[in-house]
Amino acid sequence: MSDSPGTSDRLPVVTPTRVIAGLCLVVPFVAMLWVGSYSRLTPEFIGIPFFYWYQMLWVFISSALTYTAYVLVRREERARKGGSA
């Protein structure tokens, strides 16, 4: 409502919800790039060395975290559009 350059009625771009969504997207990268944490053979799971099943487990974890980030951002966008209309 105010047109002065110092004030703005817009909502902040960085919100706690978006920070959480960002963390959900960064965690899998950190987990996979930290090779020292999983570069071993034991413990085995149904005969599969730890190195392999740990990485495959992160496929499912990454999918869940990506979906969580998507839902959080969509919910916030919906709230922003509903609140400003």
Side-chain angles (χ1 to χ4, degrees):
M1 308 220 176
S2 174
D3 290 332
S4 62
T7 61
S8 176
D9 292 333
R10 296 184 332 192
L11 296 171
V13 175
V14 178
T15 62
T17 302
R18 288 186 180 192
V19 170
I20 292 170
L23 287 174
C24 286
L25 296 174
V26 167
V27 166
F29 286 105
V30 172
M32 289 292 91
L33 290 175
W34 185 22
V35 178
S37 69
Y38 63 91
S39 66
R40 58 182 188 265
L41 297 175
T42 57
E44 289 185 0
F45 177 68
I46 59 171
I48 302 169
F50 180 75
F51 181 80
Y52 295 111
W53 69 258
Y54 176 82
Q55 292 179 66
M56 289 306 298
L57 180 64
W58 272 101
V59 170
F60 300 107
I61 294 171
S62 297
S63 299
L65 289 172
T66 301
Y67 178 74
T68 302
Y70 172 77
V71 168
L72 289 171
V73 170
R74 293 291 295 175
R75 184 181 303 158
E76 183 176 313
E77 288 298 317
R78 216 173 298 127
R80 283 176 180 252
K81 289 182 181 178
S84 65

